[in-house]
Amino acid sequence: MRPPSVPQPDFRRDGTRKTNKNGEDGWSLRVWDAKAGRQREKTVYGTQRYAAAQLAELRTQVEGALSPALPRAQYVTVGQWGLEFINRYKWLVAPVKGAGGLPRPETTWRNVKANVNAYVVPMLGEDRRVVSVTPGELTRAIAGLKVTDHALPGKPKSKPADPDTQDKAASVTRLLFADAVNAGLILGRSPAADLRTVWGARGRVARVVIPSLVQVEVLAAELDEQWPARGDIARAIAYTALRWENLSCLRWEDVDLERRSILVWRSRPSSTGRVVERLKGGGDDAYITIIDEAVGPLERLRAFADERGADTVLCGERGGMLSYSLWRKHLNRAREASGVPYTGHGLRHVAISLLIAGGAPIELVRQQAMHSSTRTTERVYRHALQVDRRELAKMLRMPTTGIEVEESAEEPKE
């Protein structure tokens, strides 16, 4: 397998660095084009960060060109359209003539890709023509959806899908057929337009628990017990609200403990493990506040990293980056041993709840959560916003709060 290329400085024949009229440095980009059997080369000008983003875009264009051309609309099969849809879904705004474009968050794209390949195409059949699929057939397919479970004895190792899986498959099915309408494969209304996206007797209900600082410490202490000096990872997430994909590739050069600020501009999605220089949702960077509770854990993580010569906030015993699978394995063991149910994502709610209890403006809360709008923040944390701040602060310091809020099953997730 060819190793992925990185931007390289581009030089003239006389050995001097290429620059444009604005004095910006030139970078050489190379991507292997398997279809053409040769390297695709391109020179761009700007910062190394800009060059890396352009390289990722060029790589996406080359990969997208590998999909075969579609036949006439009435003959396109579900399998063929599934591949084409996955390539189209990579972009929030598709590039025009190879330039521009706004990529979709990679984690979102990979989730949709997995659902298309694992559920949507198999349940309808690869050779089924897209134009022949009916609304009733889609409803029956989701209702009868089965998943593989290798833990089951004998064969076949399949069982009915749980409501959450049905929800995801139905949502992606709606997206796939809506895009088929946009592409002109289906004339008129999408057969999935009325496909419900909530399944099960009651439908999925999100239950939000007011977090407990005591429980965070119990979970962190258990992590320290089984994985020495790693409880501070849980504390860091709980008191900064950073997602794992941002914290796991955060470098100390972007952490300013004196000014109580963290610059976040890299992501490392758990689905790929690769570091990309953009945030979830396509943002360039974000500044978040280091609250008092986060100072101690970050200082101890820095001492741990310095001992190993690591420049990242999180590192392994030899100074390398921590893998998501290793973190998840130890966190799950600590959750089971301590009885504290917080996942990595659940720990994010602690820092946000602390800010709300302290009376922080909603815009500051939005920045800390790295949400695209305050509307998202108000939706996700309305259970905390509706509680008196003094009462919320008191509940945060209880061993367990016991307070749950049921949200509408139709409510979109964060």
Side-chain angles (χ1 to χ4, degrees), residues 184-247:
L185 299 187
I186 299 174
L187 300 179
R189 202 160 181 265
S190 163
D194 295 324
L195 182 66
R196 61 193 177 97
T197 55
V198 178
W199 294 76
R202 294 181 56 201
R204 185 177 63 228
V205 178
R207 302 179 70 83
V208 182
V209 182
I210 303 291
S212 160
L213 299 183
V214 177
Q215 287 188 320
V216 169
E217 186 53 41
V218 169
L219 180 63
E222 182 59 41
L223 261 174
D224 281 328
E225 179 70 23
Q226 60 167 277
W227 199 23
R230 297 309 203 287
D232 283 320
I233 299 176
R235 296 182 183 99
I237 296 174
Y239 299 133
T240 64
L242 282 170
R243 298 180 177 93
W244 169 265
E245 65 186 55
N246 302 123
L247 180 61

XYZ file of all heavy atoms in Angstrom, residues 184-247:
495
model
N -32.009 13.685 -10.558
C -32.852 13.412 -11.710
C -33.097 11.944 -11.991
O -33.654 11.588 -13.021
N -32.715 11.069 -11.062
C -32.986 9.638 -11.246
C -34.456 9.336 -11.037
O -35.013 8.425 -11.649
C -32.157 8.799 -10.270
C -30.629 8.873 -10.358
C -30.013 7.846 -9.437
C -30.164 8.647 -11.781
N -35.075 10.067 -10.110
C -36.496 9.886 -9.798
C -37.221 11.173 -10.129
O -36.816 12.259 -9.676
C -36.682 9.534 -8.301
C -35.969 8.217 -7.968
C -38.161 9.459 -7.946
C -35.989 7.878 -6.482
N -38.258 11.078 -10.919
C -39.062 12.243 -11.253
C -40.219 12.351 -10.268
O -40.929 11.375 -10.018
C -39.593 12.129 -12.686
C -38.518 12.026 -13.776
C -39.174 11.893 -15.144
C -37.593 13.234 -13.735
N -40.382 13.521 -9.695
C -41.456 13.688 -8.722
C -40.956 13.511 -7.301
O -39.816 13.831 -6.965
N -41.819 12.916 -6.473
C -41.548 12.835 -5.036
C -40.720 11.605 -4.689
O -40.861 10.545 -5.298
C -42.890 12.767 -4.288
C -42.837 13.200 -2.836
C -44.236 13.561 -2.360
N -44.219 14.013 -0.980
C -44.459 13.251 0.069
N -44.729 11.958 -0.129
N -44.432 13.740 1.279
N -39.854 11.758 -3.672
C -39.050 10.633 -3.208
C -39.934 9.582 -2.544
O -40.824 9.921 -1.759
C -38.003 11.116 -2.192
O -37.480 10.035 -1.446
N -39.712 8.287 -2.824
C -40.501 7.241 -2.159
C -40.207 7.151 -0.665
O -40.973 6.537 0.077
C -40.059 5.961 -2.882
C -38.710 6.271 -3.426
C -38.750 7.720 -3.781
N -39.116 7.789 -0.219
C -38.777 7.755 1.208
C -39.192 9.025 1.934
O -38.884 9.197 3.111
C -37.266 7.545 1.380
N -39.905 9.922 1.238
C -40.256 11.215 1.832
C -41.066 11.062 3.111
O -40.914 11.839 4.055
C -41.009 12.063 0.817
N -41.953 10.074 3.159
C -42.815 9.884 4.332
C -42.330 8.751 5.237
O -43.056 8.327 6.144
C -44.251 9.597 3.882
C -44.866 10.778 3.150
O -44.570 11.922 3.534
O -45.619 10.553 2.184
N -41.131 8.248 4.972
C -40.590 7.163 5.807
C -40.270 7.712 7.190
O -39.487 8.639 7.335
C -39.325 6.601 5.156
C -38.649 5.423 5.861
C -39.539 4.189 5.827
C -37.310 5.115 5.205
N -40.889 7.143 8.208
C -40.638 7.670 9.549
C -39.233 7.301 9.990
O -38.703 6.253 9.637
C -41.675 7.158 10.551
C -41.747 5.671 10.753
C -43.020 5.307 11.528
N -43.162 3.866 11.690
C -42.783 3.198 12.776
N -42.226 3.846 13.771
N -42.952 1.894 12.857
N -38.635 8.169 10.783
C -37.262 7.958 11.216
C -37.164 7.603 12.694
O -36.080 7.565 13.249
C -36.413 9.211 10.943
O -37.024 10.338 11.555
C -36.277 9.449 9.449
N -38.297 7.355 13.343
C -38.305 6.903 14.737
C -39.037 5.571 14.797
O -40.181 5.470 14.361
C -38.992 7.934 15.663
C -39.031 7.414 17.087
C -38.262 9.265 15.610
N -38.384 4.528 15.335
C -38.939 3.189 15.349
C -38.975 2.638 16.768
O -38.321 3.136 17.662
C -38.122 2.268 14.439
C -38.239 2.679 13.012
C -37.623 3.739 12.407
C -39.071 2.089 12.024
N -38.011 3.845 11.099
C -38.892 2.836 10.831
C -39.941 1.002 12.014
C -39.562 2.532 9.652
C -40.595 0.695 10.831
C -40.407 1.443 9.673
N -39.739 1.588 16.972
C -39.885 1.016 18.303
C -41.217 1.417 18.895
O -41.909 2.317 18.408
N -41.595 0.748 20.001
C -42.900 0.964 20.611
C -43.097 2.416 21.040
O -44.119 3.025 20.798
C -43.060 0.043 21.823
N -42.061 3.015 21.694
C -42.186 4.384 22.168
C -41.354 5.351 21.332
O -41.460 6.559 21.484
C -41.723 4.488 23.632
C -42.584 3.743 24.622
C -42.037 3.943 26.030
N -41.953 5.362 26.352
C -41.177 5.849 27.305
N -40.400 5.048 28.001
N -41.164 7.138 27.573
N -40.522 4.805 20.457
C -39.589 5.670 19.755
C -38.401 5.967 20.639
O -38.424 5.748 21.847
N -37.339 6.455 20.029
C -36.145 6.761 20.818
C -36.371 8.017 21.639
O -36.814 9.043 21.148
C -34.947 6.965 19.890
C -33.649 7.167 20.647
C -32.494 7.283 19.680
N -32.629 8.441 18.812
C -32.482 8.398 17.505
N -32.212 7.270 16.910
N -32.623 9.490 16.778
N -36.073 7.957 22.920
C -36.217 9.102 23.807
C -34.868 9.400 24.433
O -34.266 8.539 25.062
C -37.259 8.820 24.918
C -37.348 10.004 25.862
C -38.623 8.537 24.299
N -34.376 10.592 24.213
C -33.096 10.972 24.798
C -33.311 11.363 26.252
O -34.173 12.177 26.564
C -32.503 12.148 24.024
N -32.541 10.765 27.170
C -32.666 11.072 28.592
C -31.376 11.749 29.034
O -30.302 11.180 28.960
C -32.916 9.792 29.392
C -34.166 9.058 28.933
C -34.373 7.783 29.723
N -34.752 8.034 31.083
C -35.998 8.283 31.478
N -36.954 8.339 30.593
N -36.275 8.502 32.731
N -31.489 12.981 29.469
C -30.327 13.780 29.850
C -30.253 13.862 31.362
O -31.214 14.238 32.027
C -30.425 15.197 29.255
C -29.185 16.005 29.622
C -30.593 15.122 27.752
N -29.116 13.493 31.926
C -28.933 13.531 33.370
C -28.048 14.714 33.729
O -26.998 14.918 33.127
C -28.278 12.223 33.875
C -28.143 12.236 35.385
C -29.094 11.030 33.426
N -28.477 15.528 34.702
C -27.615 16.596 35.199
C -26.358 15.933 35.756
O -26.440 15.053 36.599
C -28.311 17.396 36.324
C -29.635 17.977 35.847
C -27.391 18.510 36.820
C -29.542 19.076 34.845
N -25.174 16.301 35.287
C -23.961 15.599 35.720
C -23.606 15.879 37.173
O -24.052 16.861 37.771
C -22.886 16.154 34.778
C -23.387 17.494 34.366
C -24.870 17.369 34.309
N -22.776 15.006 37.716
C -22.330 15.135 39.097
C -20.805 15.197 39.119
O -20.132 14.304 38.601
C -22.818 13.936 39.922
O -22.061 13.787 41.101
N -20.246 16.244 39.729
C -18.794 16.367 39.833
C -18.212 15.251 40.692
O -17.091 14.801 40.460
C -18.426 17.728 40.431
C -18.870 18.955 39.631
C -18.381 20.226 40.309
C -18.347 18.897 38.216
N -18.973 14.803 41.661
C -18.524 13.703 42.517
C -18.345 12.438 41.687
O -17.350 11.712 41.814
C -19.518 13.459 43.665
C -19.089 12.253 44.507
C -19.627 14.694 44.545
N -19.308 12.171 40.803
C -19.216 10.981 39.967
C -18.063 11.078 38.974
O -17.421 10.074 38.661
C -20.534 10.766 39.217
C -21.660 10.260 40.118
C -22.887 9.874 39.317
O -23.251 10.555 38.365
N -23.521 8.783 39.698
N -17.788 12.279 38.474
C -16.645 12.460 37.583
C -15.358 12.055 38.299
O -14.512 11.349 37.750
C -16.545 13.925 37.101
C -15.217 14.164 36.396
C -17.696 14.258 36.171
N -15.218 12.480 39.548
C -14.012 12.161 40.305
C -13.931 10.669 40.618
O -12.843 10.076 40.586
C -13.966 12.977 41.595
C -12.685 12.829 42.383
C -11.428 13.083 41.560
O -11.433 14.033 40.742
O -10.451 12.316 41.716
N -15.071 10.037 40.888
C -15.082 8.589 41.136
C -14.611 7.846 39.890
O -13.804 6.918 39.960
C -16.501 8.121 41.552
C -16.587 6.595 41.550
C -16.861 8.663 42.927
N -15.121 8.260 38.727
C -14.723 7.627 37.469
C -13.236 7.856 37.192
O -12.512 6.930 36.809
C -15.564 8.196 36.316
C -15.272 7.645 34.914
C -15.585 6.155 34.841
C -16.060 8.416 33.858
N -12.763 9.090 37.404
C -11.359 9.410 37.157
C -10.440 8.641 38.098
O -9.377 8.160 37.696
C -11.130 10.913 37.301
N -10.853 8.514 39.361
C -10.039 7.778 40.334
C -9.931 6.306 39.951
O -8.873 5.686 40.112
C -10.642 7.924 41.731
N -11.017 5.744 39.424
C -10.980 4.345 38.989
C -10.057 4.189 37.781
O -9.334 3.196 37.660
C -12.396 3.873 38.645
C -12.485 2.414 38.222
C -11.971 1.453 39.283
O -12.262 1.681 40.482
O -11.282 0.478 38.919
N -10.075 5.168 36.879
C -9.146 5.150 35.744
C -7.703 5.187 36.229
O -6.842 4.455 35.733
C -9.424 6.342 34.828
C -10.273 6.104 33.580
C -10.560 7.432 32.891
C -9.593 5.154 32.612
N -7.426 6.051 37.211
C -6.075 6.131 37.780
C -5.645 4.809 38.388
O -4.473 4.419 38.314
C -6.017 7.227 38.849
C -5.901 8.625 38.259
O -5.288 8.760 37.183
O -6.446 9.571 38.854
N -6.594 4.110 38.989
C -6.295 2.849 39.658
C -5.858 1.777 38.661
O -4.882 1.050 38.893
C -7.540 2.379 40.426
C -7.365 1.063 41.156
C -6.424 1.158 42.342
O -6.250 2.281 42.875
O -5.846 0.120 42.711
N -6.568 1.680 37.546
C -6.270 0.615 36.575
C -5.345 1.067 35.457
O -4.742 0.242 34.770
C -7.577 0.089 35.956
C -8.365 1.164 35.220
C -9.460 0.599 34.360
O -9.197 0.187 33.250
N -10.667 0.552 34.883
N -5.198 2.359 35.264
C -4.387 2.907 34.180
C -3.702 4.153 34.723
O -4.154 5.270 34.507
C -5.306 3.261 33.017
C -4.654 3.413 31.688
C -3.471 2.880 31.260
C -5.182 4.168 30.579
N -3.224 3.242 29.977
C -4.260 4.028 29.519
C -6.319 4.925 30.373
C -4.453 4.629 28.277
C -6.518 5.515 29.148
C -5.607 5.367 28.111
N -2.613 3.993 35.476
C -1.991 5.085 36.244
C -1.794 6.372 35.446
O -1.352 6.357 34.298
C -0.639 4.484 36.670
C -0.900 3.024 36.736
C -1.861 2.732 35.627
N -2.138 7.487 36.105
C -1.972 8.852 35.568
C -2.897 9.166 34.401
O -2.717 10.182 33.727
C -0.521 9.099 35.161
N -3.900 8.297 34.144
C -4.799 8.560 33.013
C -6.176 9.060 33.436
O -6.994 9.392 32.584
C -4.970 7.311 32.159
C -3.713 6.797 31.502
C -2.972 7.896 30.740
N -2.113 7.359 29.705
C -0.976 6.731 29.906
N -0.548 6.568 31.143
N -0.260 6.270 28.903
N -6.423 9.110 34.733
C -7.700 9.659 35.177
C -7.851 11.110 34.770
O -8.976 11.612 34.610
N -6.707 11.793 34.584
C -6.772 13.200 34.198
C -7.296 13.390 32.776
O -7.670 14.499 32.400
C -5.390 13.849 34.335
C -5.052 14.163 35.785
O -5.961 14.604 36.508
O -3.899 13.954 36.192
N -7.320 12.336 31.974
C -7.940 12.443 30.650
C -9.437 12.680 30.819
O -10.020 13.550 30.165
C -7.686 11.174 29.816
C -6.190 10.962 29.598
C -8.414 11.262 28.474
C -5.848 9.680 28.862
N -10.051 11.894 31.712
C -11.485 12.075 31.982
C -11.738 13.453 32.569
O -12.710 14.132 32.216
C -11.983 10.986 32.926
N -10.865 13.878 33.491
C -11.041 15.203 34.099
C -10.879 16.303 33.051
O -11.617 17.293 33.063
C -10.027 15.388 35.225
C -10.200 14.424 36.397
C -9.175 14.706 37.486
N -9.276 13.749 38.589
C -8.489 12.674 38.731
N -7.536 12.437 37.819
N -8.637 11.855 39.739
N -9.913 16.136 32.146
C -9.685 17.163 31.123
C -10.899 17.313 30.213
O -11.309 18.430 29.876
C -8.448 16.809 30.298
N -11.492 16.194 29.801
C -12.694 16.266 28.961
C -13.838 16.900 29.739
O -14.575 17.749 29.231
C -13.099 14.858 28.469
C -12.011 14.277 27.559
C -14.437 14.914 27.715
C -12.257 12.850 27.134
N -13.977 16.483 31.010
C -15.093 16.970 31.824
C -15.010 18.466 32.106
O -16.034 19.112 32.298
C -15.139 16.206 33.152
N -13.792 19.029 32.122
C -13.647 20.430 32.500
C -13.254 21.353 31.347
O -13.146 22.564 31.538
C -12.640 20.556 33.648
C -13.076 19.803 34.885
C -12.194 18.984 35.573
C -14.391 19.896 35.343
C -12.610 18.278 36.705
C -14.807 19.193 36.462
C -13.917 18.384 37.134
O -14.337 17.697 38.241
N -13.034 20.798 30.151
C -12.804 21.647 28.978
C -13.916 21.518 27.951
O -14.062 22.384 27.091
C -11.472 21.290 28.273
O -11.558 19.952 27.757
C -10.287 21.419 29.234
N -14.669 20.412 27.998
C -15.735 20.105 27.024
C -15.171 19.723 25.662
O -15.901 19.683 24.672
C -16.714 21.268 26.868
N -13.864 19.423 25.586
C -13.277 19.014 24.313
C -13.745 17.617 23.911
O -13.848 16.732 24.758
C -11.751 19.017 24.407
C -11.060 20.376 24.323
C -9.587 20.246 24.676
C -11.212 20.976 22.931
N -14.022 17.452 22.641
C -14.289 16.118 22.114
C -12.977 15.341 22.051
O -11.902 15.927 21.904
C -14.899 16.197 20.716
C -16.248 16.910 20.652
C -16.751 16.925 19.215
N -18.076 17.528 19.123
C -18.286 18.820 18.875
N -17.255 19.633 18.678
N -19.517 19.311 18.805
N -13.070 14.008 22.097
C -11.876 13.187 21.990
C -11.110 13.508 20.706
O -9.885 13.570 20.698
C -12.241 11.697 22.017
C -11.073 10.821 21.652
C -10.766 10.305 20.427
C -10.007 10.422 22.523
N -9.586 9.603 20.479
C -9.105 9.653 21.753
C -9.736 10.626 23.880
C -7.952 9.095 22.290
C -8.582 10.063 24.406
C -7.710 9.312 23.619
N -11.831 13.719 19.599
C -11.167 13.934 18.320
C -10.325 15.202 18.319
O -9.387 15.335 17.522
C -12.180 13.977 17.177
C -13.139 15.143 17.230
C -14.205 15.053 16.149
O -14.897 14.036 16.061
O -14.309 16.028 15.376
N -10.630 16.161 19.207
C -9.827 17.371 19.313
C -8.752 17.262 20.399
O -7.616 17.690 20.201
C -10.714 18.579 19.602
C -11.776 18.803 18.551
O -12.964 18.835 18.863
N -11.381 18.941 17.298
N -9.114 16.678 21.540
C -8.165 16.551 22.644
C -7.027 15.596 22.297
O -5.876 15.821 22.665
C -8.886 16.068 23.909
C -8.023 15.881 25.164
C -7.385 17.204 25.578
C -8.857 15.308 26.313
